[in-house]
Amino acid sequence: MITRFAPSPTGPLHLGHAYSAMLAHDMAKASGGRFLLRIEDIDQSRSRPAWEDQIYQDLTWLGVSWEQPVMRQSDRLDAYRATLDRMWNDGVLYACSCNRADIKAAAFAPQEGVSLGPDGIIYPGTCRNLPNDHTSLPNEAALRLDWSKIPVGAFEAGQAFFEETGEHAGRHVVSLDKLRKQVGDVVLSRRDMGTSYHLSVVLDDAEQGVTHVIRGADLFDATQIHVGLQQVMGLPTPVYHHHRLIRDENGKRLAKRDDARAIAKYRAEGATPADIRRLVGLPPAE
C-alpha cells in the first residue's frame, strides 16, 4: 500500500488536514506500506514558502513521517506540459477563453437548462466548436478536454470502474456517456497555471505509484473525472478511500480560514498530538 497526503501551501493546516494526514499515515503503517507527501503548489498566486514550512512542522509534530524527497507540483510543469502537448496533438483538447461570468451567463440563457456537476455549472460548450488556428499548444487560453472526442474504445464498453473503501464502499462505474453529459468538458490547464488540479493530481498519483488515495468525502464526486482521465491517459486506477469530513459545532466543514482550528494554534495552546487524535476521532498512535 502506498498512500499520500497532498496539501496546498495556501494557509494553515487545520483539524481536517490532521485527520486526513494521520489516517493515510496510519493505513500505510498498518499495512507495512509507504506514506508520501506531495506539495500541491500549482497556484503560485496563493502559495507561500512560509505555509509550506508550516506544513512540515505541523506534520512532524503530529508524528507523521514521510519519504524523501517531497514531490512539489511546481517542479513538474514540464511533465504536465508534455501530457497536454500529446493530448493537443491527439485532437482531444480545445482552447477556451470563457471566464466564470461567461459560463454562468451562457448556462442561465433562456434556452439552456442549468446543470451542476462536480466542478459546479457544467460548461455549456461555448468554445468547443470554434475555429482552431493553433498548430501547437496555445499559452493564452485555458484548455478543456472534449469528452466527445474520446472514443468509446478508450473505456471498456464505454465504462471504467474504481474500488472505494470509504463511506461509499463498493465498486463504482464511471460512464463515458455520463462524463460527457453530467460532468462536461473539464479544464486541464488554466491560463495562469499551465495545468489544473484534475490533470496534476492524476499524473502525480501515477508518478508516485500511489495505490490508495485517502481524501475527504467532498472529493468523491470528482473521482469520476480522475478515473476517466486515467483511462484516457492509460494510467492505473488506485483504490479510493473518501473519509468523513471534520466539521465545526454548526456542522460546517472546516476551511483554511478557520484559524481557530489551526494545528499550530492547538500546539501553541499546549495540546498534544494525542489530544488531536482524540479530537478527530482517531485511536491512539501505536
Side-chain angles (χ1 to χ4, degrees), residues 7 11 28 40 102 177 236 246-247 264 286:
E40 297 197 337
D102 295 331
D177 184 62
I246 304 300
R247 301 181 181 275
E286 295 184 0

Side-chain angles (χ1 to χ4, degrees), residues 16-59:
H17 295 113
Y19 177 67
S20 193
M22 291 188 294
L23 179 62
H25 186 262
D26 288 357
M27 291 176 69
K29 185 177 179 180
S31 72
R34 300 162 56 202
F35 173 80
L36 307 177
L37 177 62
R38 181 167 74 231
I39 300 298
E40 297 197 337
D41 60 347
I42 56 173
D43 187 351
Q44 288 291 294
S45 67
R46 298 174 59 224
S47 296
R48 298 290 183 271
W51 290 126
E52 184 174 334
D53 290 342
Q54 186 76 58
I55 289 170
Y56 302 141
Q57 295 170 28
D58 288 342
L59 293 180

Side-chain angles (χ1 to χ4, degrees), residues 38-283:
R38 181 167 74 231
I39 300 298
E40 297 197 337
D41 60 347
I42 56 173
D43 187 351
Q44 288 291 294
S45 67
R46 298 174 59 224
S47 296
R48 298 290 183 271
W51 290 126
E52 184 174 334
D53 290 342
Q54 186 76 58
I55 289 170
Y56 302 141
Q57 295 170 28
D58 288 342
L59 293 180
T60 299
W61 178 76
L62 287 168
V64 173
S65 58
W66 56 91
E67 294 185 9
Q68 296 290 344
V70 172
M71 176 180 281
R72 300 173 76 251
Q73 289 184 332
S74 57
D75 295 331
R76 287 182 41 77
L77 296 180
D78 287 345
Y80 307 144
R81 174 78 185 204
T83 298
L84 291 168
D85 275 329
R86 184 168 59 254
M87 297 179 76
W88 180 264
N89 292 332
D90 288 343
V92 298
L93 300 181
Y94 62 89
C96 177
S97 60
C98 298
N99 56 35
R100 293 179 186 275
D102 295 331
I103 295 171
K104 185 175 181 179
F108 279 87
Q111 71 274 18
E112 299 290 344
V114 179
S115 299
L116 296 178
D119 276 346
I121 296 174
I122 295 176
Y123 182 65
T126 307
C127 295
R128 184 185 300 127
N129 297 315
L130 293 180
N132 179 12
D133 57 359
H134 297 285
T135 56
S136 60
L137 199 66
N139 295 315
E140 72 282 2
L143 300 176
R144 290 184 180 273
L145 174 64
D146 187 346
W147 289 114
S148 70
K149 297 288 181 63
I150 302 300
V152 173
F155 291 60
E156 183 179 342
Q159 295 182 331
F161 306 89
F162 70 93
E163 296 295 332
E164 166 69 33
T165 62
E167 293 190 345
H168 303 280
R171 191 170 191 243
H172 293 265
V173 177
V174 176
S175 159
L176 179 57
D177 184 62
K178 183 177 179 181
L179 289 171
R180 291 170 175 171
K181 297 177 180 178
Q182 299 180 30
V183 173
D185 296 346
V186 294
V187 172
L188 295 191
S189 178
R190 300 190 181 281
R191 61 172 60 91
D192 54 346
M193 291 184 186
T195 183
S196 71
Y197 168 72
H198 295 312
L199 178 70
S200 59
V201 73
V202 166
L203 291 178
D204 293 347
D205 282 340
E207 177 66 20
Q208 291 190 294
V210 173
T211 64
H212 291 69
V213 173
I214 318 298
R215 61 188 185 187
D218 54 325
L219 288 170
F220 177 79
D221 288 340
T223 303
Q224 60 188 309
I225 298 174
H226 302 161
V227 173
L229 290 176
Q230 289 154 5
Q231 292 294 119
V232 171
M233 299 177 190
L235 301 175
T237 294
V239 173
Y240 287 87
H241 181 99
H242 291 87
H243 58 70
R244 62 183 173 84
L245 301 179
I246 304 300
R247 301 181 181 275
D248 64 17
E249 60 275 8
N250 298 315
K252 182 180 178 182
R253 73 181 180 92
L254 301 184
K256 286 186 176 176
R257 58 182 173 271
D258 293 304
D259 289 349
R261 293 167 179 80
I263 298 169
K265 185 169 182 180
Y266 282 99
R267 183 174 53 182
E269 292 176 348
T272 67
D275 294 330
I276 302 300
R277 294 185 72 91
R278 283 195 296 271
L279 281 170
V280 299
L282 284 173

